Amino acid sequence: MTDFVFTPPPQASVAMAGEAARFPVRRIFCVGRNYAAHAREMGKDPDREPPFFFTKPADAVVDSGATIPYPPETANFHYEIELIVAIGGGGADIRPEAALDHVFAYGVGIDLTRRDLQFEARDKGRPWDWGKAFDRSAPIAPLHRVANVGHPAKGRIWLAVNGAVKQDADLAELIWPVPDIISILSRSMTIRPGDLIMTGTPAGVGAIVPGDKVTGGIEGLGEIAIAIAPR
């Protein structure tokens, strides 16, 4: 048994739909600008850019139903609804046609973003970490096993703020679908069980403030809800 100089933090995890057991989170990979309309609203050309990735810490995850304090050092706090891919089988240099064999479950998540810090970093050619990888920045609803939902390649993805729909698209609009995302990611590093992939957000991102109620969902994968509290 390994001795540590202090007690290790609890294992980060995400709930499983209809199960008491939880999915242990190892790493969180996020795909940037993976819907054409969102790429355009961020001022980029989706037809010329290969997929790129950024990360969030595993302990950024929070369950659906959480109340999230407005984070520090921002005045432009944004929502981004996303399809979540939960990896159950590791591998490197995975071919696209074999990529779905590595998926354990799918779910609904929100990539919370300190947009002003992200844009400041982007404009200076710096990493996005302070805009993306902060505390409680990855709310994720219970995951659904592939055996129960299959591999969703299409279906409505949406988000609403205080009941008003802000994002409304279809998974079929992904520039890089799930098999390609897994394959491309696995060329750079070995993926492992417990890894999560946030696959990108549709157009319609915007700011949220304390008191807002954020809801969203993906056809066949349920819904997510969070509340924003004062700083």
Side-chain angles (χ1 to χ4, degrees), residues 6 58 69 76 122 136 152 175 186:
F6 55 83
N76 196 17
R122 183 193 70 180
R136 306 181 190 91
I175 298 171
S186 73

Side-chain angles (χ1 to χ4, degrees), residues 4 22 24 27 68 70 81 87 99 117 132 143-144 190 199:
F4 296 99
R22 296 176 65 90
R27 295 177 293 190
I68 298 174
Y70 196 93
I81 192 75
I87 299 298
L117 300 189
K132 290 287 192 177
L143 301 172
H144 297 258
T190 301
T199 59

Side-chain angles (χ1 to χ4, degrees), residues 78-82 108-112 139 156-169 201-208 212-218 223-226:
H78 278 212
Y79 55 80
E80 297 187 5
I81 192 75
E82 310 214 358
V108 184
I110 302 174
D111 171 14
L112 292 173
R156 185 186 183 216
I157 177 172
W158 62 275
L159 180 140
V161 179
N162 302 323
V165 175
K166 303 294 185 178
Q167 293 181 278
D168 200 345
T201 196
V205 299
I208 42 180
D212 281 344
K213 308 294 184 184
V214 182
T215 55
I218 297 175
E223 298 186 2
I224 188 170
I226 58 171

Side-chain angles (χ1 to χ4, degrees), residues 36-186:
H38 175 60
R40 293 188 186 98
E41 75 178 350
M42 293 293 103
K44 300 298 179 180
D45 183 348
D47 298 323
R48 296 185 179 181
E49 211 164 45
F52 67 94
F53 298 87
F54 57 92
T55 62
K56 291 177 181 278
D59 64 2
V61 298
V62 292
D63 285 339
S64 178
T67 296
I68 298 174
Y70 196 93
E73 297 194 328
T74 185
N76 196 17
F77 185 37
H78 278 212
Y79 55 80
E80 297 187 5
I81 192 75
E82 310 214 358
L83 170 70
I84 304 297
V85 179
I87 299 298
D93 294 317
I94 298 167
R95 293 173 291 108
E97 56 268 28
L100 294 182
D101 295 339
H102 297 262
V103 179
F104 178 79
Y106 292 95
V108 184
I110 302 174
D111 171 14
L112 292 173
T113 302
R114 296 191 287 196
R115 190 72 73 198
D116 43 3
L117 300 189
Q118 180 198 13
F119 281 176
E120 180 182 358
R122 183 193 70 180
D123 293 344
K124 293 179 179 179
R126 296 175 179 175
W128 287 7
D129 296 58
W130 256 226
K132 290 287 192 177
F134 53 95
D135 295 339
R136 306 181 190 91
S137 61
I140 298 177
L143 301 172
H144 297 258
R145 289 177 180 260
V146 167
N148 297 329
V149 297
H151 295 285
K154 61 182 180 178
R156 185 186 183 216
I157 177 172
W158 62 275
L159 180 140
V161 179
N162 302 323
V165 175
K166 303 294 185 178
Q167 293 181 278
D168 200 345
D170 194 284
L171 296 178
E173 298 171 36
L174 282 165
I175 298 171
W176 298 94
V178 172
D180 290 333
I181 292 170
I182 293 172
S183 178
I184 293 167
L185 177 59
S186 73

